[in-house]
Amino acid sequence: MMQVAPNPYRQYLENAVLTADPGRLTLMLYTGAVKFIHQARDCLAARDIPGAHRACLRAQDIIVYLLETVNREMEIGKNLFALYDYMYRRLVEANVKKEAAVLDEVAGLLEELADTWEQALKLKGQQAAGG
């Protein structure tokens, strides 16, 4: 039986995820959720309802993972949990009602989180390099 050559891009992504520190992994999750929300929006625009549904489910899965892993013992964790819960409920609503505006709302929230998280990681890196 002929063996299929591994996809180098997929291997790169898998390695990036497996070797990422928790902060970088969180940023990757935010970025991935935004990507799937944009896919869902594009599918809605193209009237590809099954595609929109699948993309919404992928984004919802990421938010569920974030919900399950956030540390709610800290105040910021409690706040993030509430925000993730809100985003999850809005994604379910967008998926059921096929509302692009709701997808845009959640994507905007995730993009803000990703930007903030990225700035925090840069600051952490600068402090580590300087300290």
Side-chain angles (χ1 to χ4, degrees):
M1 185 187 284
M2 190 170 97
Q3 202 169 16
V4 177
N7 180 333
Y9 178 70
R10 185 167 185 83
Q11 282 185 317
Y12 168 78
L13 286 178
E14 189 173 309
N15 190 46
V17 168
L18 292 175
T19 59
D21 64 78
R24 185 66 47 197
L25 183 58
T26 300
L27 183 59
M28 293 167 84
L29 289 167
Y30 290 157
T31 304
V34 168
K35 179 185 88 167
F36 290 124
I37 291 170
H38 287 176
Q39 282 179 3
R41 188 152 190 350
D42 292 345
C43 286
L44 283 180
R47 301 205 189 296
D48 175 8
I49 301 307
H53 176 71
R54 282 190 300 275
C56 271
L57 289 179
R58 302 278 308 265
Q60 287 169 228
D61 287 345
I62 291 172
I63 301 300
V64 166
Y65 178 81
L66 292 166
L67 274 164
E68 291 173 348
T69 58
V70 71
N71 180 354
R72 290 190 283 165
E73 293 178 16
M74 300 171 59
E75 191 63 32
I76 192 161
K78 290 176 187 173
N79 293 337
L80 279 171
F81 184 88
L83 183 57
Y84 295 155
D85 182 61
Y86 173 78
M87 288 190 291
Y88 177 79
R89 287 184 284 110
R90 294 294 280 165
L91 282 174
V92 169
E93 180 182 343
N95 197 6
V96 169
K97 296 181 179 179
K98 304 303 181 223
E99 289 185 4
V102 177
L103 292 173
D104 292 342
E105 173 195 350
V106 177
L109 292 169
L110 282 163
E111 288 165 347
E112 283 183 41
L113 278 172
D115 290 345
T116 302
W117 204 258
E118 190 167 26
Q119 292 303 317
L121 289 174
K122 285 179 184 174
L123 184 59
K124 179 182 172 188
Q126 290 170 356
Q127 289 173 343

